[in-house]
Amino acid sequence: MSKHTRQHSERSQSVAKHARFGSFQIGLVRGLYVIQITMILLAVFVENVATGQTRQLVLTTFESEASGPDEDEKQRYPKLNEMQLPTVEEIFKKHPFDWVVTNNEDVHIVYPVSPRPDRSNKWEKDIRNLLENRPKGYPRRGLLEVVLHEDGILEDGNHEDSSYEIDKRRIQQIKYYEDLVLERVDKLLEKKAFRQAFALILFLERRRDSNWPGMDRRKNRLIFLDAMRMRDQKKPQSALVFFEDLYARDPEYRDSQDRTLQEEIGQVCDGLIRAALVQSDFRQARFFLRRLTDMDPQHQVAVKWKADLVARAKNLLTQSANASQDGKHDEAVSLLDRATRIWPTTPGLRDAHRKASNRFQRIKVGVLRFAGDPTPYFLPTDEDKRHNHLIQTTLFEIDRSDEAPHYRSRFFEEWEPTDLGRQMVFTLRQSRSYWESQPVVTASSIASTLAARLDPTHPAYDERMASYIHSLTPRSPFELVVNFSRVPVRTVALFRFPLIAVESELNSGETVDSNELKLASKVLSWRFKIHEKSPQRVVYRRIAPEPENVNEYHVAEVAKIKFNSYDKAIQGLNRGEVSMLPRVPIWTIDKFRNDERYVVRDYALPTTHVLQFNPNSEPLKNLVLRRAMAYALNRRQVLTEIILHDSESRRGRIVSAPFPSNSYAYADLSMVVPREHDLKLAYALAVVAEKQLKEKFRPLKLYCPPEPVVKAAAEKLIEQWKRIGVTVTLITQSAARPTRRSAMRPQWDLVYRTIQMAEPILELWPFLTIDTQAHVTSLIHLPDWLRQELVGLDQAGDWETAVSLLHRLHQQLAAYVHSIPLWEVDDVIVIRKTVRGFPKHPIHSYQDIERWIVQPEFPTVLPLGPKIRGKIGKKL
Amino acid sequence: MIGVRSAIPRKRVLQRRFGSKGLAVCLSAMLLAEVLLLNSQSTSAGEKSELDSKSTEVKIQKDEATVSTSSETSVKKPKRAEVPIELQPYRVQVSITFGSDPLLTMGYRESVLQKIRAAVERILGQMWTLKVEENLWLSPPGMRGLEQLTSESETERFGKASCDKVYIVTVEVLGGRYRISGREWDRSTQVLGRLATRETFQRRTVAADVFTLVHGLFQPIVAIDEADNDTATIRVQAGQFPSVDPDAAQLTTKQFFIPIFRYLDKKKVVRKIQFLPWTYLMVQSVDRARATCSVESGLRAPLGGARRRVEKIAIGIRPSYGATRLILVPRKNPSKPLISHHVNVVMNPPTSSKESIKKQLEIEALHLLTDRSGAVTIPVNFEYPLVKLYVHSGTSLLARVPFVSGVEPEIYLRLPSDSLRLGVEGQLALLEGELVDTVARRATHIALARLYARDGKWEQVDEQIDGFKKVHGIKYFEQQLKAIQFPAVQAAKLQKNRSAEFRIKRLIQRTTDVLGRHLSPDKIRDFENEMDELR
């Protein structure tokens, strides 16, 4: 081959390549490429002419006015009827191609020709302009330049001559690549190969050929057939999603078998609504109904079910009216609540619901567990404490707390210390407000309770109180005098206990636990009681209902609803299933604060997290090991990463005592500095402890409250202890729940506690001894000097002495590592704005609940998800 | 008014047990107990001598000392004084009051008196010289009347009578049953004993029950002949007249006696009677009228040597209550009980070696903690009634006394104040915690420095040396010790509590020794030298 020929061949190949790639270019640059290609072709042509070595094929093609290949060549092209549609594999693997079918039904398999069908015809216009202003010698109009596809090159053909022009008059049709693919899609749909069909459609869409004629039709067919498949597979909800999608695309869709979309949607929705109603899940029924009406409000299925639901709701409305007339307000509200769940927009329902809900107010509270639910944790859980706060009221209760708590009483009108505090005269209230639910008591009841607490043989015996009170005298039914043998520092704080009935003696031989239970059953000062209990719901009601015909009613019922996790509880709050969450993870608080629907209230006392050691645990009797474990903890890390999710720790602090850092008992930093994390020191101490114990540390058992965040924190602490060679196992399941009295037995080594200590003068002793009261015998495990400090605190006669002793105890407990105070957290309660009368800084979750007012909250019409709403909105 | 907390005053308790005269005796005994406790704790010779002198010079206050020296209540030298005690039968008077029930007819009463006489003669023989009479002076004539009697009233009543023991007995009819109650008055101790009661449903056995009750109340009197710190020889009154019934013998092995000192004046008139507290004689062997006893006491020389005009006698005791409430009170302020103090009760027979005693305390002892009234309840150990009480305060032993529980319902133990020493112990515990940290920190720095030095990382070695130097040294801890010691010692001096002062100094010295061992400057120098050499 001569040099020129070789050059020409190279140029031709280059041109072919350019032509091939040029057809793939996209966007605005596509036109420019076309111009460039044209220019290159022109340049080559001019060069060839100049050199007199014009290629025969090209000249023939140009000069014979696209007569095409000669007769011999005709034999070599496949006929249209011989052609096979490209397979899925070919489509994905090979370069795109078009079929150019000539009048004699020859098929030229070529790289996609240009221009392509385009609605805007922009390309064609560009080409037209270019050709009209073509330079001299440029091919005339009516020729289609093609580049043979690799599949189109014949066996005996010249590979170098793959680019040529065809006279348009000889072209019968061009089968574009997209059409070929869509034809394959049709074939696949017929075979119900939806996945492959969908893949091909997606393939075309990614080629930016989404507007290709016939594409929508295939898509719709695919969606319809897929929906039908879902329906046949008993997945009506999935089918409905597909139908909704199809409805948004083409509401009038009708398939080849004359099945209409309207009918199919109706059929699916009908099944879904019926199934929901069988399960009495009206909310879900309304949800499907709403989805149907959003598509077609007049759909006969929608009309039918709507009428049915309205009828049911109206029936309940009537029943509610009857119940209300009979004074059964709770029943009336229940019926109306049910009606609102069935069809909230029932005429007259909103008014009736408002009236009934005002008369019998209910509040729903989201909790993660109920009081008394089985757990290996042997101390009262937070929910146990909340349960007690809800059901009982004490003679004196904390009203508010700053540095020290301030008390009030529902039972006493006034209490006056006389004889320099050695005597206290209690004057009882002779009546109660209509909204209060505690019983009216007389001096003799209180005297009986006090006498029981002073009787060493009674299970309610209060050793501390017995040491304070010398005698008590009921002067009249509403006046009681208590004489003290020594003056208590916080007199009223001694009276933070519920009233109990003391008519019968306990049988000898009963265990302490059963006595405690018996004692609990004898409480007189109830305010709420459990009305109904199920695995998912506990309902509490007032002991004394509010009378008729008063201006304003208050909470009559508290329903606790159990959720599996905080996420679900928060979801429940957002959905309106509950109105209050007594505790939420700290990191979610900001979301609630920014939400106008909720009020977020800080508790008056922060929650302190503390680790306590079992005094009977042999390894933990070793002070060096306890110090090692304290130094090993990176408390700041756990606080910021696990508890708060906030590197700035805005709602939590590292502490060195089990009482709040703003308490009068908390010594300032000049006396006690929280122990810093020091892994090296911890390791060294652990080594020393191991030598002292003369054996390897056995795995220690840690019990922690059944609370997800606390559990996560405990797991992190265990991880940190592992670094110094101390293995700690978190006990999450236990066959036998150790009783509180058996807390001192060596079944456990560490316990994680969350406490709110309002009155350290009185509460520190029971806390340290893990007891309910300040029993002297519980101190037996403490060193003598610490015992005498606690006794000294108990015997303190004035406030200054008591506070100074507490500061010293704070210092001593921290140094002695009796426990490991971890951190304190500013917990909050989240409540809907519909609840009024809630304290600004509650001491506990149900403080003053008798005075809360719950405004009726009528269920809103179910909102649709953003997908459906968006599509429908867009369509409309 | 509902009396809810009435701590039984000490005086009332003693009165109940011994009457007012007995009260005086008890009070003196308590004073002696203090001495005893002091004695048990003291280790220095000076203390010992002081306490010894105290124990012999205990005086009864005049207002309380109702052991009268007046002629009315004095015991004149009996004519038969020359007769040895073992040849002196008990002159016993049984004074019976019958209730006013018609069932208790004159004839019946007479028959009861007669039957008692017969029973005494049949069972005790010549051991008792019995006088049985119907009591017409007791009012009200029943158990309540007995309860109201006091030691003083009975000493006054029977002081002049020629009898050694008087049993005042009542017989009442309660529905279908007969209640027999009685108390013993003893001339030697001039104490009216506890009230005992029996009941029977059989009319014919009343006399037998009266005898059983009287015999149950009877406590033998012995004279202590020879005594040292461990053993004593005793002679029992009427010992040469053994009972007809051998089961009614006065002396049996493992029987307990409480020693009593009877101080006489020149005319051999009883001037003072002193019970020796926390001291017991336990009969080991009996030889007719004589017996050998072991002496269990918290005192160093409880029975002392022979003294002129001091009679050393002992009276038998027997647990009659289920338990005794032991109340710990501070010596200087008895109204403030000692709360939350450890009391270890060793119930088993004492062992000899120190090691065994320690083991007993750890394993076998009953560990009790005083309640808010400073009391612990010590149950009666029927197998071995004599128990040992160890009262601890921190690391210090406050008292170690023998005790037979169940003899009295309540007993006080006065102890010296240990609060100052305990406070120091607490402060030292905290300081020791800091010391542990410091030693561990230094050890860490040394270990790391050696590690880096081995790898030739001298910059890191210097960092560790700097860190080592920043850790508190011995001077810091010595200053802290001084800050703890000075105020505590001053306070002890102010309280004139030499024992506390001594113990505080001993505690501080012990901690100073620990400091020297762990934070010695030599160790620092050695470490620096080692690093220099490695460099």
Side-chain angles (χ1 to χ4, degrees):
Chain A
M1 189 181 286
S2 69
K3 186 184 174 187
H4 284 290
T5 311
R6 191 165 59 251
Q7 282 175 349
H8 171 75
S9 174
E10 285 168 0
R11 282 184 198 122
S12 300
Q13 283 176 13
S14 171
V15 168
K17 200 182 283 178
H18 277 290
R20 188 162 66 240
F21 287 130
S23 66
F24 292 133
Q25 301 307 312
I26 55 171
L28 293 172
V29 292
R30 185 175 285 184
L32 294 172
Y33 272 105
V34 172
I35 293 164
Q36 194 180 356
I37 292 161
T38 315
M39 293 295 286
I40 291 165
L41 282 171
L42 198 62
V44 170
F45 177 72
V46 170
E47 189 184 351
N48 286 338
V49 169
T51 54
Q53 295 176 359
T54 312
R55 278 189 73 238
Q56 186 61 37
L57 177 64
V58 175
L59 285 175
T60 309
T61 306
F62 285 164
E63 288 171 5
S64 63
E65 299 228 340
S67 58
D70 53 17
E71 289 305 310
D72 296 338
E73 286 174 332
K74 281 178 190 173
Q75 300 298 321
R76 288 184 274 167
Y77 286 95
K79 296 294 180 188
L80 182 61
N81 53 7
E82 296 167 6
M83 291 303 290
Q84 295 290 322
L85 276 176
T87 63
V88 177
E89 196 179 4
E90 285 169 349
I91 291 168
F92 283 129
K93 284 187 177 173
K94 290 188 176 176
H95 288 127
F97 51 84
D98 291 339
W99 290 353
V100 178
V101 185
T102 54
N103 292 336
N104 54 1
E105 295 211 329
D106 282 348
V107 177
H108 297 243
I109 303 172
V110 298
Y111 282 104
V113 297
S114 181
R116 317 291 292 171
D118 182 19
R119 284 181 185 178
S120 63
N121 291 328
K122 188 173 181 298
W123 289 0
E124 287 185 25
K125 283 176 192 169
D126 291 344
I127 293 294
R128 198 182 303 126
N129 289 337
L130 181 71
L131 292 176
E132 282 172 0
N133 303 315
R134 66 185 185 281
K136 195 176 178 184
Y138 192 85
R140 295 189 299 274
R141 295 181 61 192
L143 296 179
L144 175 69
E145 184 186 0
V146 295
V147 180
L148 270 179
H149 190 267
E150 59 258 31
D151 287 354
I153 295 172
L154 304 176
E155 286 178 7
D156 52 350
N158 190 347
H159 285 241
E160 295 173 1
D161 302 333
S162 56
S163 176
Y164 54 90
E165 289 179 337
I166 303 172
D167 189 345
K168 283 182 180 175
R169 286 173 298 182
R170 291 187 59 199
I171 295 174
Q172 185 192 82
Q173 61 171 317
I174 298 174
K175 284 215 164 195
Y176 292 103
Y177 180 68
E178 288 80 358
D179 289 329
L180 294 172
V181 173
L182 287 176
E183 280 181 36
R184 172 54 65 194
V185 167
D186 287 338
K187 295 278 184 195
L188 290 170
L189 287 177
E190 279 165 19
K191 290 180 189 171
K192 298 194 175 176
F194 299 115
R195 188 178 287 274
Q196 286 179 324
F198 178 70
L200 289 184
I201 288 174
L202 201 66
F203 172 75
L204 281 183
E205 278 190 338
R206 283 180 183 169
R207 283 172 48 84
R208 305 198 176 188
D209 295 334
S210 57
N211 292 328
W212 193 267
M215 182 82 108
D216 277 348
R217 189 162 53 83
R218 265 60 168 227
K219 273 188 192 171
N220 291 351
R221 189 172 171 219
L222 173 64
I223 293 168
F224 185 79
L225 291 175
D226 222 1
M228 296 301 283
R229 180 173 64 92
M230 289 293 176
R231 193 195 68 179
D232 296 343
Q233 288 177 357
K234 311 282 183 198
K235 294 177 183 172
Q237 288 202 44
S238 303
L240 182 59
V241 172
F242 281 103
F243 283 137
E244 281 170 338
D245 196 11
L246 181 56
Y247 190 88
R249 298 170 62 82
D250 181 10
E252 305 298 332
Y253 182 82
R254 185 184 291 267
D255 79 341
S256 55
Q257 295 170 21
D258 211 25
R259 294 178 295 192
T260 63
L261 177 62
Q262 293 281 349
E263 285 170 9
E264 296 304 327
I265 286 177
Q267 207 175 337
V268 167
C269 286
D270 189 62
L272 285 167
I273 293 167
R274 196 182 299 277
L277 289 180
V278 166
Q279 293 176 350
S280 297
D281 191 344
F282 297 102
R283 186 187 169 94
Q284 198 172 39
R286 281 193 287 117
F287 173 68
F288 294 126
L289 185 55
R290 179 63 191 268
R291 283 168 72 171
L292 179 59
T293 52
D294 278 345
M295 287 184 279
D296 182 6
Q298 298 306 319
H299 197 289
Q300 58 180 2
V301 174
V303 171
K304 179 186 84 176
W305 282 117
K306 184 179 172 183
D308 180 79
L309 292 175
V310 169
R312 289 181 192 223
K314 276 186 176 172
N315 185 25
L316 290 174
L317 191 60
T318 314
Q319 287 179 32
S320 163
N322 294 337
S324 188
Q325 277 177 358
D326 296 344
K328 297 174 185 171
H329 303 292
D330 53 336
E331 196 182 323
V333 175
S334 297
L335 289 166
L336 288 173
D337 272 348
R338 206 164 154 222
T340 56
R341 283 202 299 276
I342 293 173
W343 198 252
T345 52
T346 307
L349 182 58
R350 185 179 285 268
D351 268 359
H353 184 267
R354 183 176 50 76
K355 280 178 192 167
S357 298
N358 274 330
R359 176 61 188 88
F360 190 84
Q361 297 182 16
R362 283 173 164 167
I363 184 163
K364 291 177 186 166
V365 182
V367 294
L368 298 194
R369 64 191 314 280
F370 294 137
D373 277 0
T375 166
Y377 189 65
F378 52 89
L379 297 173
T381 61
D382 286 350
E383 187 51 38
D384 292 339
K385 291 176 203 165
R386 284 195 284 267
H387 167 81
N388 279 339
H389 284 140
L390 177 60
I391 64 170
Q392 294 176 7
T393 183
T394 52
L395 285 182
F396 280 90
E397 56 193 14
I398 300 174
D399 182 30
R400 62 198 158 82
S401 178
D402 33 49
E403 266 194 18
H406 302 264
Y407 294 88
R408 66 168 181 204
S409 175
R410 292 169 185 272
F411 297 92
F412 300 115
E413 194 77 51
E414 56 184 37
W415 49 95
E416 194 66 40
T418 57
D419 191 16
L420 296 173
R422 286 190 170 273
Q423 191 178 67
M424 183 80 97
V425 180
F426 294 96
T427 309
L428 275 79
R429 290 171 59 188
Q430 298 190 23
S431 63
R432 63 165 187 229
S433 301
Y434 76 92
W435 50 266
E436 286 179 317
S437 66
Q438 81 280 2
V440 175
V441 294
T442 58
S444 64
S445 300
I446 294 175
S448 301
T449 301
L450 287 173
R453 298 184 79 85
L454 304 179
D455 176 7
T457 60
H458 198 278
Y461 175 58
D462 185 343
E463 222 177 79
R464 177 187 273 150
M465 177 162 272
S467 75
Y468 276 115
I469 295 182
H470 179 262
S471 64
L472 46 103
T473 314
R475 273 187 195 164
S476 75
F478 296 101
E479 198 171 78
L480 178 74
V481 179
V482 176
N483 294 300
F484 296 101
S485 50
R486 56 194 175 92
V487 182
V489 180
R490 304 281 285 170
T491 307
V492 291
L494 282 176
F495 294 86
R496 278 173 64 194
F497 51 82
L499 280 175
I500 55 166
V502 288
E503 70 283 358
S504 65
E505 292 298 322
L506 290 159
N507 298 327
S508 60
E510 285 187 335
T511 62
V512 176
D513 283 343
S514 69
N515 282 348
E516 280 178 1
L517 289 174
K518 204 165 181 177
L519 187 65
S521 68
K522 286 180 178 176
V523 169
L524 283 178
S525 53
W526 299 110
R527 51 179 194 162
F528 277 72
K529 64 176 179 183
I530 292 180
H531 173 71
E532 186 186 316
K533 191 169 183 179
S534 70
Q536 289 304 315
R537 184 184 166 92
V538 178
V539 177
Y540 298 78
R541 281 197 185 165
R542 273 173 183 266
I543 289 289
E546 288 176 294
E548 297 288 345
N549 303 321
V550 294
N551 291 334
E552 200 170 43
Y553 289 94
H554 305 86
V555 169
E557 183 181 288
V558 178
K560 288 186 182 177
I561 295 164
K562 195 194 272 188
F563 294 95
N564 293 331
S565 63
Y566 276 125
D567 288 345
K568 293 279 179 193
I570 291 168
Q571 191 182 45
L573 184 69
N574 286 328
R575 283 178 171 178
E577 291 167 11
V578 292
S579 302
M580 177 177 128
L581 294 180
R583 180 158 295 171
V584 291
I586 299 295
W587 61 89
T588 61
I589 292 173
D590 288 341
K591 285 179 191 167
F592 289 113
R593 283 201 193 282
N594 297 331
D595 195 326
E596 287 181 353
R597 291 175 294 172
Y598 308 115
V599 178
V600 178
R601 291 280 162 85
D602 287 17
Y603 284 104
L605 295 165
T607 307
T608 310
H609 295 226
V610 194
L611 288 168
Q612 263 189 293
F613 302 105
N614 185 345
N616 279 333
S617 171
E618 278 304 323
L620 292 174
K621 283 180 184 171
N622 187 298
L623 173 64
V624 181
L625 176 59
R626 294 203 305 270
R627 293 182 86 89
M629 292 179 76
Y631 278 116
L633 295 181
N634 189 347
R635 294 179 292 167
R636 193 164 300 283
Q637 184 196 11
V638 183
L639 176 66
T640 53
E641 291 179 7
I642 309 283
I643 303 286
L644 303 176
H645 290 203
D646 175 17
S647 57
E648 293 174 21
S649 299
R650 282 168 298 178
R651 301 192 65 84
R653 289 156 296 282
I654 301 293
V655 291
S656 56
F659 28 81
S661 58
N662 63 349
S663 166
Y664 58 82
Y666 202 89
D668 59 31
L669 285 174
S670 64
M671 289 179 76
V672 193
V673 180
R675 190 171 274 110
E676 286 298 326
H677 169 59
D678 190 338
L679 195 58
K680 284 179 199 165
L681 179 59
Y683 187 79
L685 289 171
V687 170
V688 174
E690 204 165 50
K691 278 184 185 168
Q692 285 180 354
L693 290 169
K694 294 175 185 169
E695 59 180 5
K696 288 222 160 196
F697 301 132
R698 65 168 172 79
L700 303 173
K701 290 178 183 173
L702 167 66
Y703 283 79
C704 87
E707 209 271 342
V709 180
V710 169
K711 197 179 159 199
E715 280 166 355
K716 189 73 182 173
L717 297 178
I718 289 171
E719 233 177 82
Q720 293 179 350
W721 279 323
K722 205 170 181 179
R723 289 180 199 161
I724 60 163
V726 177
T727 311
V728 179
T729 315
L730 185 63
I731 306 297
T732 50
Q733 284 185 341
S734 172
R737 175 180 175 166
T739 60
R740 195 173 307 165
R741 282 284 169 184
S742 65
M744 289 294 157
R745 293 177 197 157
Q747 297 165 338
W748 59 278
D749 298 293
L750 294 129
V751 63
Y752 190 125
R753 296 181 73 179
T754 51
I755 50 167
Q756 290 177 308
M757 198 183 288
E759 194 71 271
I761 287 180
L762 298 178
E763 293 176 43
L764 184 61
W765 181 330
F767 164 77
L768 293 176
T769 56
I770 316 184
D771 208 338
T772 49
Q773 286 185 3
H775 293 111
V776 172
T777 47
S778 307
L779 296 175
I780 199 159
H781 303 286
L782 299 179
D784 288 41
W785 55 268
L786 186 53
R787 272 208 318 268
Q788 292 309 318
E789 290 287 342
L790 282 171
V791 169
L793 174 66
D794 214 47
Q795 304 268 312
D798 61 277
W799 177 256
E800 283 76 19
T801 308
V803 170
S804 134
L805 277 170
L806 274 168
H807 287 176
R808 200 162 73 198
L809 268 168
H810 178 182
Q811 199 177 9
Q812 287 173 337
L813 289 171
Y816 184 63
V817 202
H818 176 273
S819 54
I820 305 179
L822 298 170
W823 47 76
E824 67 178 18
V825 176
D826 300 328
D827 271 316
V828 298
I829 184 166
V830 180
I831 197 158
R832 280 184 170 270
K833 276 191 175 165
T834 49
V835 180
R836 290 192 286 121
F838 193 76
K840 196 172 181 185
H841 291 291
I843 298 293
H844 58 82
S845 310
Y846 301 105
Q847 191 180 4
D848 295 341
I849 192 166
E850 295 98 327
R851 300 194 71 173
W852 294 4
I853 294 170
V854 181
Q855 288 170 337
E857 197 171 3
F858 197 76
T860 50
V861 177
L862 188 74
L864 287 178
K867 183 182 168 191
I868 307 288
R869 192 170 51 213
K871 286 194 175 178
I872 291 173
K874 199 174 175 182
K875 192 168 181 66
L876 289 172
Chain B
M1 181 181 282
I2 300 170
V4 291
R5 182 178 176 275
S6 54
I8 302 168
R10 191 162 134 247
K11 194 172 173 183
R12 227 174 83 197
V13 174
L14 295 172
Q15 269 182 342
R16 192 189 298 165
R17 172 69 179 88
F18 302 115
S20 60
K21 194 170 280 184
L23 166 69
V25 176
C26 288
L27 288 173
S28 65
M30 287 180 66
L31 283 169
L32 192 62
E34 291 171 31
V35 175
L36 176 147
L37 294 168
L38 277 171
N39 202 8
S40 71
Q41 296 155 16
S42 64
T43 50
S44 66
E47 282 178 2
K48 201 187 305 172
S49 62
E50 185 192 343
L51 298 174
D52 284 344
S53 65
K54 271 187 185 174
S55 67
T56 53
E57 287 172 19
V58 172
K59 305 288 183 189
I60 300 176
Q61 295 295 321
K62 272 203 168 182
D63 54 342
E64 288 186 323
T66 50
V67 179
S68 172
T69 55
S70 67
S71 59
E72 290 84 13
T73 57
S74 66
V75 180
K76 289 180 181 176
K77 187 182 176 184
K79 285 181 182 175
R80 55 191 183 97
E82 302 302 325
V83 181
I85 191 169
E86 64 270 28
L87 292 173
Q88 294 177 20
Y90 291 98
R91 292 168 297 164
V92 178
Q93 183 178 338
V94 179
S95 182
I96 306 179
T97 304
F98 291 95
S100 55
D101 195 273
L103 281 172
L104 304 173
T105 60
M106 282 296 289
Y108 178 74
R109 295 178 189 192
E110 190 54 43
S111 73
V112 169
L113 300 184
Q114 197 58 42
K115 282 179 185 173
I116 291 167
R117 283 188 203 107
V120 169
E121 199 173 334
R122 190 174 65 248
I123 294 168
L124 301 175
Q126 292 179 29
M127 195 169 84
W128 282 16
T129 305
L130 183 67
K131 182 184 174 188
V132 184
E133 61 180 19
E134 189 172 345
N135 181 338
L136 300 173
W137 49 264
L138 185 66
S139 177
M143 197 172 76
R144 279 193 61 198
L146 281 178
E147 283 173 346
Q148 289 171 6
L149 300 179
T150 60
S151 291
E152 290 82 5
S153 67
E154 298 320 293
T155 303
E156 193 173 345
R157 192 187 313 277
F158 297 114
K160 290 178 183 173
S162 56
C163 56
D164 298 322
K165 291 193 181 271
V166 176
Y167 295 93
I168 308 150
V169 181
T170 63
V171 178
E172 297 165 273
V173 180
L174 302 170
R177 67 184 197 277
Y178 295 83
R179 183 169 71 190
I180 301 135
S181 312
R183 293 181 82 174
E184 181 199 62
W185 177 83
D186 181 76
R187 176 179 296 281
S188 307
T189 59
Q190 298 183 0
V191 168
L192 187 66
R194 69 182 177 91
L195 175 73
T197 305
R198 288 176 71 85
E199 286 189 357
T200 178
F201 287 88
Q202 296 185 10
R203 183 181 161 88
R204 66 175 187 279
T205 63
V206 167
D209 284 311
V210 169
F211 173 75
T212 311
L213 182 113
V214 166
H215 190 251
L217 287 171
F218 170 74
Q219 295 298 349
I221 300 291
V222 298
I224 301 168
D225 282 348
E226 295 167 2
D228 57 25
N229 289 345
D230 299 323
T231 57
T233 311
I234 57 169
R235 281 177 294 130
V236 66
Q237 187 174 356
Q240 294 297 353
F241 307 107
S243 58
V244 178
D245 184 349
D247 289 345
Q250 289 191 78
L251 290 178
T252 55
T253 53
K254 293 189 179 177
Q255 188 178 0
F256 289 95
F257 288 88
I258 301 176
I260 300 162
F261 289 169
R262 284 163 55 91
Y263 294 90
L264 311 173
D265 62 7
K266 287 179 182 173
K267 295 176 183 175
K268 297 284 179 94
V269 174
V270 176
R271 189 167 52 88
K272 188 175 73 178
I273 295 173
Q274 184 186 35
F275 279 76
L276 206 58
W278 313 108
T279 302
Y280 301 91
L281 304 180
M282 185 169 75
V283 177
Q284 298 293 342
S285 62
V286 180
D287 181 14
R288 198 174 169 89
R290 289 177 177 273
T292 309
C293 302
S294 61
V295 179
E296 295 290 339
S297 176
L299 296 171
R300 284 181 182 274
L303 297 172
R307 285 189 175 188
R308 288 178 64 193
R309 297 202 297 272
V310 177
E311 280 183 6
K312 287 187 229 172
I313 62 166
I315 186 167
I317 54 167
R318 191 180 297 139
S320 47
Y321 298 96
T324 295
R325 199 159 169 262
L326 175 75
I327 302 167
L328 308 185
V329 290
R331 200 174 59 210
K332 287 190 176 171
N333 186 6
S335 63
K336 197 178 175 185
L338 295 173
I339 303 169
S340 191
H341 276 62
H342 271 297
V343 178
N344 295 325
V345 185
V346 177
M347 308 292 276
N348 296 330
T351 44
S352 54
S353 67
K354 279 187 176 178
E355 197 62 35
S356 303
I357 292 169
K358 200 176 174 186
K359 194 180 170 187
Q360 266 192 323
L361 270 176
E362 282 176 0
I363 302 166
E364 300 169 16
L366 182 66
H367 301 283
L368 302 172
L369 201 65
T370 55
D371 61 16
R372 285 173 187 270
S373 53
V376 287
T377 302
I378 299 169
V380 174
N381 184 8
F382 291 102
E383 199 179 328
Y384 190 82
L386 186 74
V387 297
K388 277 268 176 111
L389 304 180
Y390 292 84
V391 182
H392 289 275
S393 172
T395 53
S396 164
L397 180 66
L398 289 185
R400 181 183 58 231
V401 289
F403 182 60
V404 175
S405 183
V407 177
E408 291 149 325
E410 200 168 77
I411 188 165
Y412 283 79
L413 179 55
R414 301 182 96 185
L415 296 166
S417 169
D418 191 49
S419 58
L420 280 174
R421 193 203 60 79
L422 207 57
V424 170
E425 194 178 312
Q427 286 174 300
L428 288 181
L430 305 187
L431 194 68
E432 278 167 15
E434 206 177 336
L435 176 64
V436 169
D437 286 359
T438 304
V439 172
R441 276 203 176 94
R442 288 175 60 162
T444 312
H445 285 304
I446 290 172
L448 286 172
R450 280 181 182 147
L451 196 73
Y452 290 133
R454 200 177 56 191
D455 297 344
K457 297 175 180 173
W458 296 108
E459 280 184 13
Q460 283 95 326
V461 171
D462 290 339
E463 275 176 21
Q464 294 304 323
I465 291 172
D466 286 346
F468 180 89
K469 285 177 181 170
K470 279 177 191 168
V471 175
H472 291 312
I474 193 164
K475 280 186 183 173
Y476 166 81
F477 284 99
E478 282 172 348
Q479 281 172 357
Q480 295 289 315
L481 278 180
K482 278 179 190 166
I484 294 169
Q485 183 181 6
F486 183 74
V489 168
Q490 288 302 312
K493 279 180 180 169
L494 274 176
Q495 291 177 8
K496 294 181 181 172
N497 191 340
R498 291 181 62 192
S499 165
E501 185 185 337
F502 171 75
R503 287 176 177 177
I504 288 166
K505 284 180 178 171
R506 197 168 58 183
L507 273 175
I508 298 284
Q509 186 55 47
R510 203 180 296 161
T511 314
T512 311
D513 293 346
V514 174
L515 283 181
R517 270 205 305 279
H518 292 287
L519 300 180
S520 163
D522 295 343
K523 288 193 174 184
I524 303 171
R525 272 196 298 276
D526 290 348
F527 170 62
E528 285 174 343
N529 290 339
E530 185 189 340
M531 288 299 114
D532 289 343
E533 279 175 22
L534 285 170
R535 243 183 251 270

